[in-house]
Amino acid sequence: MAETQEQTGKDWKSISIARQNEIRNAIPKSHCLSPTVIEGLQDSRNLISIPETCGILSQRELEITSTPSITKLLADIRNRVYTAVEVTMAFCKRASIAHQLTNCLTEVLYDSALAQAQELDKHLLVTGEPVGLLHGLPISVKDHISIAGTRATSGLVSMADNISDRDAYIIEILRKAGAVFYVKTTNPLCMLAMETHSNLFGRTVSPYNTNLSPGGSSGGEAALISLRGSLLGVGTDIGGSLRAPAAFSNIYTLKASTGRIPVAGMEWWLHPGMETVQCVIGPMAIGVDGLELFHEAALASSPWLVEPSLVNKPWDKRVIVNGTILKPLRIGLMLNDGVVTPHPPILRSLKETAKALEEAGHIVIPWVPVDHKGMSELTTATFFQDNAQPARHLIKKSGEELTPLVKFALDGLQSKPLTVTESWDLTYRRNQYRLSYAKLWNESQIDAIICPAAPTVSPLHDTTKSWGYTLVFNLLDYSTAVFPAGKVLDIDGADALPEGVDLDATYPKNSLEELNQVYSKLWFDKDQNGKVLGPERYKYAPIGLQLVARRYEEEKVLGILRTVVEARRNGGLEAY
Amino acid sequence: MAETQEQTGKDWKSISIARQNEIRNAIPKSHCLSPTVIEGLQDSRNLISIPETCGILSQRELEITSTPSITKLLADIRNRVYTAVEVTMAFCKRASIAHQLTNCLTEVLYDSALAQAQELDKHLLVTGEPVGLLHGLPISVKDHISIAGTRATSGLVSMADNISDRDAYIIEILRKAGAVFYVKTTNPLCMLAMETHSNLFGRTVSPYNTNLSPGGSSGGEAALISLRGSLLGVGTDIGGSLRAPAAFSNIYTLKASTGRIPVAGMEWWLHPGMETVQCVIGPMAIGVDGLELFHEAALASSPWLVEPSLVNKPWDKRVIVNGTILKPLRIGLMLNDGVVTPHPPILRSLKETAKALEEAGHIVIPWVPVDHKGMSELTTATFFQDNAQPARHLIKKSGEELTPLVKFALDGLQSKPLTVTESWDLTYRRNQYRLSYAKLWNESQIDAIICPAAPTVSPLHDTTKSWGYTLVFNLLDYSTAVFPAGKVLDIDGADALPEGVDLDATYPKNSLEELNQVYSKLWFDKDQNGKVLGPERYKYAPIGLQLVARRYEEEKVLGILRTVVEARRNGGLEAY
C-alpha cells in the first residue's frame, strides 16, 4: 500500500475525494439546487419529484424530459418541434439535478454533447433527413463502457484516470445513429455488487427512498433514468446488473442473449477469454420502445461483420408487432425460486399480473423451478474460476479497502485458479442445465416465465447478497426483460401474507436457510408494537418483475412484454 | 497392457481382427465380388468404375445409384418411380461393393434399413404423402455419431463394443425426415488424423487410387460416397475432417459454423466442455443439393428449442436462390497460405476456376493470408489444452499401439494441462484473430475466398501432416464448403510450374520450412530420368477446392458455390 502511495504520490482517499469534487464542479452553477431546496431534502427520503419542483428546468424543458415516450421525442426532433440542442440541454440539466440527489454521474460531458447536438441540428436543417434512428437522443452510458476521451474506471481508484482512446463499438454504432453522449454513470467497485457503491465515487442512492439502493451494478443509470435525467441508457449484465437496478428503479430493461449486441470496448477485470458465462451490454429505458429502438439501432448496421463473436441474426421487427400477440400466450408463473422467498409486495404483484393476463385471455400455469440453487452457485463459480486474481490486483494497486458487498463476494472463494479440465467441467455442467431447462420448457410448452427479479424491492444499503433470480438466466443465456409492476403498499405489511401465499410452502426447508432467513427478517422484523417493518422500511419502493424467454428470443420477449404491460393496464394495475 | 488383456480376456489385435471379420461377414453373399473381379483388382490402383462393371448391381440398381441428383431421386421416390425399399437395397449392395474395394464400413445395418424403408413405402401408399423432406433416402453415418443399437467407437479398440443407447439428435431429426440408415463408416483412431486408419478397422483407401488416402477423419464417408455407395453422408469436422476427405474424394461438403447443426450424441475423447474450437456435424454429398437438403431438414424442426447451444436462426432458402447471384461476386483468391505451398495441380485448378469466374463477370482479387501459421498452431493448441489425457487413456485402455499419424499428433505436446487462465489466453487470442480477419475481409469487401483445401490432392498413406488450410477456418468458425475441381493431369508434372506461379514466391522463406520441403518433395521428387514423380504418384487423384464465407453464412456460401460450379461448367472445366 505504502509503495503504491509513493508511486502515485496520493493515497486512495484523496484520489477519490478529488474525483468526486471534479464531477460536482463540472456541473454548471445554473444546474445547482438552491439552498432552500437542499434544506427541504433533509426531511424527505423520496426525491422523485424534485426535478419537477426545484425550479431549475423551464416549462419547455420539463415538457421535453417528461415526454410520454422516446418514440414521440424522436419524432418531435425529426419534425423540428424541438432542436437536438434544446433536448440535450434539458437532459443535461435534469441529469445534473439527478446527480445532486443520488450521486449517479461519473462524467459530465455537456460541452461535447451540445456540440454534437448542434451538428445534428445542422444536418437536419441542411439535408432534411435525420442521421439515423436515434437522431438527437441523449443517451447515458455506464462508467465501464468506453467513450473516447472519457474515463472508464470500473469504480476502481487505480483506474481513476483511465481515459479511453476510442469508443466502445456499441457507442460508435449509437453515435452514428444520432445518439448524443452527455453523461457517464456510476457502477460499484469492480462491478462486483448488485448495489452501486465504490470508494472512487461513493454511494449512489435511490431517488424513491434514499435509504435504499437503486441496485447495481448499472445503478447510476437506474437512478438517473428513474428521475428522467435520461430516457435511455446503456448498461451491462453478467449476473443481473441490468435487471436488478431496473427492477429497483421503476424502469425497463432487456438483457439479450450473448452474441446479439456488440460488447467490444468494455473495461473491467474479467479475463476477456472467459466465456462460460458472458457479460452483455443492453438498454435501460423509460418504456418498451426504448428497448426496441436500442436493439434495432444496434443491429441495423450488421455489427456481426465487424465483431465476429456476434450472431448473424438481424433484428426482426415482425416478431414484436405480430408474432406473439395473435394467440393466447402460455405463461409460466414462478413465485419463488426455492432458494430465497421474495418479499410480500413482489408476490402480490406477481399474482396481480397473472390475474390480469388471465383476464386478457392468456394462460398462466405454475412454473416449478428445478435446482435454481445449483444453477446460481454454478454461475457464481464461473465468475471466479481464476480466484478473481485480476480484480484483487486492481483493488490492491491503489490500496483501497473493499466495500462491504465486494468483501462479501470475494471472501471465501477457493484459493487457487482452476485447471482447464476443472473449467471445462463447469462448462459441461452449464450445458447440462441448459439442456434440462429446455426440456422442461418444451414439456410445459410455455412462451415465457414471469418471476421476481430479486427477492426484495430496492434494498436497504449493503443488504443485497442474493443474486439468484437473475443469475440463473445468465447461465441459461435467456432473453430476459424487467418491467415496472407497482410499488410497496401498506397492505403488504399485514401480518398475514397475501392471499394464497403459504409461508411454509414459500420458505421451503431445503433452501439456503441462512440467506432466506436474512431476507425474511428484512421484511418481517417488527417494531415495538408488533407491526411488520417492511412497508415502512421499503416505503415508496417500486416493484419490478422479470419476464423470461428463451435464448435468442429478444424480439419475442419484447412482444410478450408489450402484451403484459397492456394486460396490467387493462386490469387497472399501475406501473408504479 | 497385460492388465487390460486380463480384464478383457483378449488382446487388442484379436479384438480388431474379430471386428473386421464381423463387418465383412455381415455383407450378404450376393453382394460379394466374384473371384474374377477380385483378381482383376490386383492390376489396378483405380477402382472407381468397379461398381458399374462388377455385375452385382442390376440395371435398375445402377440407374438408381447413378441418379444425376439427390433431388431427382427423392422426387422419383415421392412419385413412386422407385420404392424406398428398392432404393435402399440398391445402396446396400453398392455400399457392400465399396467396402470390399476401400474398407469403408464399420456397421452393416441392411435388415433394419430395409424394414425402415418398407415402413416408409407403406406410409406413402396409405397417406399419399412423404414423411418428410428426405423420404426414403439412404444416408450413411460416420462411426462416432450415435445411432441407437449400433457401435460408436472413435476407431478405438477399447470402445469396440460401445453400443449407443439412443440416436444422436441429428440422426433423430434426419430419421423423422425420412432418412434410412443402412451403414456406418470408418474414422481413424480417436479421429486424430486427416487420413482414415485405425487398429480396430484397418486402413480405408481411396477408390481413385488405392495407394492414396480418401482423407480423414470422415474418410469412410468419402470413399463410400465417391463410389456412390451413398449419395449423402453425415460426418464431422473440427480441423478439416469433412473438408479434407471431400476434397480428396471428388465430393461436396459444407462445414457450418458452430451452433447451426445439432451436435448432441457424438462419442469421442474431447472434453464436452471444451469450446474454444468446436466440432461440427455436416453433410458430404454428390452435389450441392445434398448439402442444402441436409441443412434444410436439420433446421426445419427448430432444433435450437431442444439443443440450446444452437443459434435460433432458421434456414433461409431465399439467400441461396436469390441472394448472391444477382450481382457480380467479389472473390478473394488465395493460392498459398504462406505456410505450405500446394501441389501444382491445385494451383492450376485455382487459376482455372478464377478465370472461369472472371469470364462469368465476377471479380477476383488476390487474398493475402495473414498469419495462417499462427492461427493454425493456435487451433491445434486448443485441441490439446489438457494434453489429450482422455484420448491417451482410451488408447492405453486396450493396449493398442499408436498409428503413425496419431503418434505424430500426440508426440511433442506440452507435458501438463493448462491452467484456466492459460486456456482463456488461447480464447482471447482466437478472438483477436477473428477480429483481425473480419477487418481484412471488410476492407477487401469480398463475398468469399477460394483457396486450397489442403496442400496436396489425395495423399500417399501416412503423409498427411499439414492441416493448416482447413484448421484456420475452424478457428475463425467460418462457413466453408469444398467442391470438386478437376483431377491430376500429366501437364502438372512439367518441370516448370504452371504459368504465373513463381516458386520462390509460392514457397516463401518464412514458412514452416521443414513441412513445406516435405510436401515439395512429395510432388517434385524425380525418377532416374529426371521426370517429376507427382503425376504418377497421384495419378487419378481428384482435386477439391475450398470456398470460404464468414461465420453463419451457410446459405450464402452454398449460393456462391452454385455460382462457382456453374462458372466452371460454362468455362469448360470438368468436375473430375
Side-chain angles (χ1 to χ4, degrees):
Chain A
M1 203 194 298
E3 189 181 288
T4 305
Q5 287 176 29
E6 279 171 40
Q7 285 170 344
T8 62
K10 287 193 219 169
D11 68 18
W12 64 266
K13 285 185 186 167
S14 48
I15 295 173
S16 301
I17 292 168
R19 185 70 202 121
Q20 288 171 37
N21 283 337
E22 268 174 22
I23 298 166
R24 187 62 183 256
N25 292 336
I27 290 175
K29 285 271 180 303
S30 58
H31 302 189
C32 288
L33 297 171
S34 71
T36 327
V37 171
I38 291 171
E39 207 171 312
L41 299 182
Q42 311 303 321
D43 301 330
S44 176
R45 288 176 291 177
N46 185 337
L47 315 178
I48 203 72
S49 59
I50 301 293
E52 279 156 28
T53 58
C54 67
I56 291 171
L57 297 167
S58 70
Q59 199 49 45
R60 194 168 163 87
E61 285 164 344
L62 280 175
E63 188 184 280
I64 289 170
T65 53
S66 308
T67 181
S69 80
I70 296 172
T71 308
K72 170 154 193 316
L73 182 64
L74 285 169
D76 285 345
I77 299 171
R78 275 199 304 276
N79 299 329
R80 305 206 211 147
V81 177
Y82 307 124
T83 65
V85 165
E86 65 182 334
V87 168
T88 299
M89 180 54 89
F91 282 101
C92 290
K93 280 193 182 169
R94 197 150 178 159
S96 295
I97 299 166
H99 182 66
Q100 295 168 75
L101 300 175
T102 64
N103 189 39
C104 58
L105 302 185
T106 67
E107 286 278 10
V108 171
L109 312 167
Y110 300 161
D111 291 345
S112 58
L114 289 165
Q116 218 189 323
Q118 205 163 26
E119 287 299 313
L120 290 166
D121 284 335
K122 205 184 292 174
H123 179 96
L124 186 61
L125 197 68
V126 172
T127 67
E129 294 290 333
V131 301
L133 197 58
L134 304 175
H135 186 102
L137 184 69
I139 287 187
S140 48
V141 179
K142 186 179 183 179
D143 160 80
H144 80 124
I145 301 168
S146 301
I147 298 181
T150 75
R151 293 166 192 81
T153 72
S154 292
L156 282 153
V157 175
S158 62
M159 290 177 71
D161 289 318
N162 178 52
I163 297 194
S164 305
D165 56 4
R166 53 180 295 182
D167 284 347
Y169 185 30
I170 186 68
I171 297 301
E172 189 186 320
I173 292 169
L174 297 174
R175 195 189 286 278
K176 280 186 191 153
V180 172
F181 300 107
Y182 64 118
V183 286
K184 291 186 80 177
T185 60
T186 49
N187 38 219
L189 178 59
C190 269
M191 249 79 61
L192 267 167
M194 297 283 257
E195 297 180 17
T196 300
H197 176 207
S198 66
N199 298 309
L200 183 58
F201 300 123
R203 190 186 292 281
T204 304
V205 300
S206 169
Y208 285 97
N209 178 336
T210 53
N211 291 347
L212 306 178
S213 171
S217 68
S218 312
E221 284 301 321
L224 178 67
I225 297 169
S226 60
L227 283 164
R228 284 188 170 244
S230 168
L231 305 181
L232 176 61
V234 187
T236 58
D237 191 317
I238 192 174
S241 284
L242 283 168
R243 289 163 292 156
F248 299 159
S249 303
N250 195 29
I251 62 176
Y252 294 81
T253 191
L254 171 57
K255 178 206 80 61
S257 304
T258 303
R260 288 216 76 183
I261 300 295
V263 290
M266 278 187 293
E267 290 267 1
W268 70 327
W269 62 274
L270 254 189
H271 193 295
M274 198 296 263
E275 298 189 346
T276 329
V277 173
Q278 291 180 63
C279 188
V280 298
I281 287 181
M284 303 171 81
I286 58 156
V288 185
D289 65 338
L291 310 181
E292 280 181 40
L293 281 163
F294 175 89
H295 281 84
E296 196 180 340
L299 299 187
S301 65
S302 307
W304 49 84
L305 299 180
V306 174
E307 194 174 310
S309 67
L310 304 179
V311 174
N312 171 340
K313 187 173 162 63
W315 187 247
D316 190 350
K317 287 180 83 163
R318 294 168 305 174
V319 177
I320 303 171
V321 181
N322 302 319
T324 58
I325 53 176
L326 295 177
K327 67 178 177 67
L329 293 169
R330 204 172 146 87
I331 303 285
L333 175 67
M334 183 178 90
L335 292 172
N336 192 321
D337 68 355
V339 188
V340 180
T341 300
H343 287 168
I346 295 168
L347 294 169
R348 171 178 55 76
S349 176
L350 281 165
K351 295 169 81 74
E352 289 168 353
T353 306
K355 188 157 167 266
L357 279 166
E358 284 176 331
E359 283 169 1
H362 302 292
I363 299 151
V364 179
I365 61 166
W367 180 261
V368 181
V370 176
D371 201 13
H372 277 222
K373 180 165 178 280
M375 284 200 283
S376 174
E377 286 168 350
L378 177 61
T379 317
T380 309
T382 69
F383 300 157
F384 300 122
Q385 293 177 69
D386 60 353
N387 194 26
Q389 291 304 349
R392 292 178 200 277
H393 170 74
L394 289 166
I395 293 168
K396 211 169 177 181
K397 214 167 154 189
S398 70
E400 68 181 302
E401 61 196 20
L402 298 182
T403 54
L405 288 178
V406 172
K407 192 168 156 50
F408 168 77
L410 290 183
D411 277 3
L413 295 182
Q414 81 286 348
S415 57
K416 57 173 189 170
L418 300 186
T419 66
V420 70
T421 306
E422 289 165 338
S423 173
W424 289 341
D425 286 340
L426 298 188
T427 303
Y428 176 72
R429 286 174 53 207
R430 180 202 70 186
N431 292 347
Q432 294 304 106
Y433 275 122
R434 288 183 179 180
L435 280 166
S436 61
Y437 221 86
K439 194 160 175 286
L440 283 177
W441 196 288
N442 292 334
E443 285 165 1
S444 312
Q445 297 190 292
I446 54 171
D447 293 295
I449 296 170
I450 289 187
C451 64
T456 171
V457 292
S458 329
L460 293 171
H461 296 305
D462 291 332
T463 62
T464 307
K465 296 183 176 175
S466 163
W467 306 5
Y469 281 95
T470 46
L471 272 182
V472 294
F473 301 116
N474 295 91
L475 189 80
L476 297 171
D477 201 29
Y478 280 10
S479 312
T480 308
V482 158
F483 59 97
K487 63 185 158 205
V488 170
L489 300 176
D490 283 343
I491 55 159
D492 297 321
D495 282 341
L497 287 168
E499 190 194 349
V501 175
D502 169 0
L503 192 60
D504 281 341
T506 55
Y507 285 78
K509 294 278 177 271
N510 64 347
S511 68
L512 278 172
E513 285 291 334
E514 201 183 335
L515 200 52
N516 202 12
Q517 288 312 318
V518 169
Y519 271 86
S520 175
K521 280 166 152 306
L522 282 167
W523 187 268
F524 289 105
D525 274 352
K526 291 177 180 171
D527 68 9
Q528 294 122 319
N529 304 321
K531 194 176 163 200
V532 167
L533 281 173
E536 175 55 24
R537 270 187 182 155
Y538 296 97
K539 191 161 185 170
Y540 310 116
I543 300 166
L545 299 178
Q546 208 173 187
L547 180 69
V548 182
R550 303 205 222 205
R551 201 167 182 222
Y552 301 126
E553 289 190 342
E554 286 72 30
E555 293 89 339
K556 182 172 177 180
V557 81
L558 288 187
I560 298 176
L561 179 52
R562 281 204 184 285
T563 311
V564 172
V565 171
E566 195 185 312
R568 279 185 53 92
R569 194 188 306 120
N570 293 343
L573 301 168
E574 301 288 330
Y576 178 77
Chain B
M1 201 194 297
E3 191 181 286
T4 306
Q5 285 177 30
E6 277 169 41
Q7 284 169 344
T8 62
K10 287 193 220 170
D11 68 18
W12 64 267
K13 284 186 186 168
S14 48
I15 295 172
S16 301
I17 292 168
R19 184 72 201 119
Q20 289 172 36
N21 283 336
E22 268 174 22
I23 297 166
R24 187 64 183 254
N25 292 335
I27 291 175
K29 286 270 177 304
S30 58
H31 301 188
C32 288
L33 297 170
S34 71
T36 326
V37 171
I38 292 171
E39 205 171 312
L41 299 181
Q42 311 304 320
D43 301 330
S44 176
R45 289 177 292 178
N46 185 337
L47 313 178
I48 203 74
S49 59
I50 301 293
E52 278 157 27
T53 58
C54 66
I56 290 169
L57 297 168
S58 70
Q59 200 48 45
R60 194 167 164 87
E61 284 164 346
L62 280 174
E63 188 184 281
I64 289 169
T65 53
S66 307
T67 181
S69 82
I70 297 172
T71 309
K72 170 151 194 317
L73 182 63
L74 286 169
D76 285 344
I77 298 171
R78 276 199 304 276
N79 299 330
R80 303 206 213 147
V81 177
Y82 307 124
T83 65
V85 165
E86 66 180 335
V87 167
T88 299
M89 179 54 88
F91 282 101
C92 289
K93 279 192 182 171
R94 197 149 177 159
S96 294
I97 299 166
H99 183 65
Q100 295 168 73
L101 300 176
T102 65
N103 188 39
C104 59
L105 302 185
T106 67
E107 286 278 9
V108 170
L109 312 167
Y110 300 161
D111 290 345
S112 58
L114 289 166
Q116 217 190 321
Q118 205 163 26
E119 287 300 313
L120 291 167
D121 283 334
K122 207 184 289 175
H123 179 97
L124 186 61
L125 197 68
V126 172
T127 68
E129 293 292 333
V131 301
L133 198 59
L134 303 175
H135 186 102
L137 184 69
I139 287 187
S140 48
V141 179
K142 187 178 182 179
D143 162 79
H144 80 124
I145 301 169
S146 302
I147 298 181
T150 74
R151 294 166 191 81
T153 71
S154 291
L156 281 154
V157 175
S158 62
M159 290 177 72
D161 289 317
N162 178 51
I163 298 194
S164 305
D165 56 4
R166 53 180 295 181
D167 284 346
Y169 186 30
I170 186 67
I171 297 300
E172 189 187 320
I173 291 169
L174 297 175
R175 197 190 284 279
K176 280 186 191 151
V180 172
F181 300 108
Y182 65 118
V183 287
K184 292 187 79 177
T185 60
T186 50
N187 38 219
L189 179 60
C190 268
M191 248 80 60
L192 267 168
M194 297 283 258
E195 299 181 17
T196 299
H197 177 207
S198 66
N199 298 309
L200 182 58
F201 300 123
R203 190 185 293 281
T204 305
V205 300
S206 169
Y208 285 98
N209 179 336
T210 54
N211 290 346
L212 305 179
S213 171
S217 66
S218 312
E221 284 301 321
L224 178 68
I225 297 169
S226 60
L227 284 164
R228 284 188 170 244
S230 169
L231 304 181
L232 176 59
V234 187
T236 58
D237 192 317
I238 193 174
S241 284
L242 283 169
R243 289 163 291 156
F248 299 159
S249 303
N250 194 29
I251 62 176
Y252 295 80
T253 192
L254 170 58
K255 179 207 79 63
S257 304
T258 303
R260 286 216 78 182
I261 299 295
V263 290
M266 277 189 292
E267 290 268 2
W268 70 328
W269 61 273
L270 256 189
H271 194 296
M274 197 297 261
E275 299 188 345
T276 328
V277 173
Q278 290 180 64
C279 188
V280 297
I281 287 180
M284 305 170 81
I286 59 157
V288 185
D289 64 339
L291 311 180
E292 281 182 40
L293 281 163
F294 175 89
H295 282 84
E296 196 181 342
L299 299 186
S301 64
S302 306
W304 50 83
L305 299 180
V306 173
E307 193 173 313
S309 66
L310 305 179
V311 174
N312 172 340
K313 187 172 164 64
W315 188 247
D316 191 349
K317 286 180 81 163
R318 294 168 305 175
V319 176
I320 303 171
V321 181
N322 302 318
T324 57
I325 52 176
L326 295 177
K327 65 178 181 62
L329 293 170
R330 204 171 146 87
I331 303 287
L333 176 67
M334 183 179 90
L335 292 172
N336 193 320
D337 68 356
V339 188
V340 179
T341 299
H343 287 169
I346 296 169
L347 294 169
R348 171 178 54 77
S349 176
L350 281 166
K351 295 171 81 75
E352 289 168 352
T353 306
K355 187 157 169 265
L357 279 166
E358 284 178 332
E359 283 170 1
H362 302 292
I363 299 150
V364 179
I365 63 165
W367 180 260
V368 181
V370 176
D371 201 13
H372 277 221
K373 179 165 177 280
M375 286 201 282
S376 174
E377 286 168 351
L378 178 60
T379 317
T380 308
T382 68
F383 300 158
F384 300 122
Q385 293 177 69
D386 59 354
N387 193 27
Q389 291 304 348
R392 291 178 201 277
H393 170 74
L394 288 166
I395 292 169
K396 211 171 177 181
K397 215 168 153 188
S398 70
E400 68 182 301
E401 63 195 17
L402 298 181
T403 55
L405 289 178
V406 172
K407 191 168 157 50
F408 169 76
L410 290 183
D411 278 3
L413 295 183
Q414 81 285 351
S415 58
K416 57 173 188 168
L418 301 186
T419 65
V420 69
T421 306
E422 289 166 337
S423 173
W424 289 341
D425 286 341
L426 297 188
T427 304
Y428 176 72
R429 286 174 53 206
R430 180 203 69 186
N431 292 347
Q432 293 304 104
Y433 275 123
R434 288 183 178 180
L435 280 165
S436 60
Y437 221 86
K439 193 159 177 286
L440 283 176
W441 197 288
N442 292 334
E443 285 164 2
S444 312
Q445 297 191 293
I446 53 171
D447 293 294
I449 296 169
I450 288 185
C451 64
T456 171
V457 291
S458 328
L460 293 171
H461 297 305
D462 292 331
T463 63
T464 307
K465 297 183 176 177
S466 162
W467 306 5
Y469 281 94
T470 46
L471 272 181
V472 295
F473 301 114
N474 295 91
L475 189 81
L476 297 171
D477 201 30
Y478 279 11
S479 311
T480 308
V482 158
F483 59 97
K487 61 185 161 207
V488 170
L489 300 176
D490 283 343
I491 55 160
D492 296 322
D495 281 342
L497 287 168
E499 191 194 347
V501 175
D502 169 0
L503 192 60
D504 281 341
T506 54
Y507 285 78
K509 295 278 177 273
N510 65 346
S511 68
L512 279 172
E513 285 292 334
E514 201 184 335
L515 200 52
N516 203 12
Q517 288 313 318
V518 168
Y519 272 87
S520 173
K521 279 166 153 307
L522 283 168
W523 187 269
F524 289 106
D525 273 353
K526 291 178 179 171
D527 66 12
Q528 292 122 321
N529 304 321
K531 194 177 165 198
V532 168
L533 281 173
E536 174 56 22
R537 269 185 182 157
Y538 296 96
K539 190 159 186 172
Y540 310 117
I543 300 166
L545 299 179
Q546 211 174 184
L547 180 69
V548 183
R550 303 204 222 205
R551 203 167 179 221
Y552 301 124
E553 290 189 341
E554 286 72 30
E555 292 90 339
K556 182 172 178 181
V557 82
L558 288 187
I560 297 176
L561 179 52
R562 280 204 185 285
T563 310
V564 172
V565 171
E566 196 184 311
R568 279 185 54 92
R569 195 188 306 121
N570 293 341
L573 301 169
E574 301 289 330
Y576 177 77

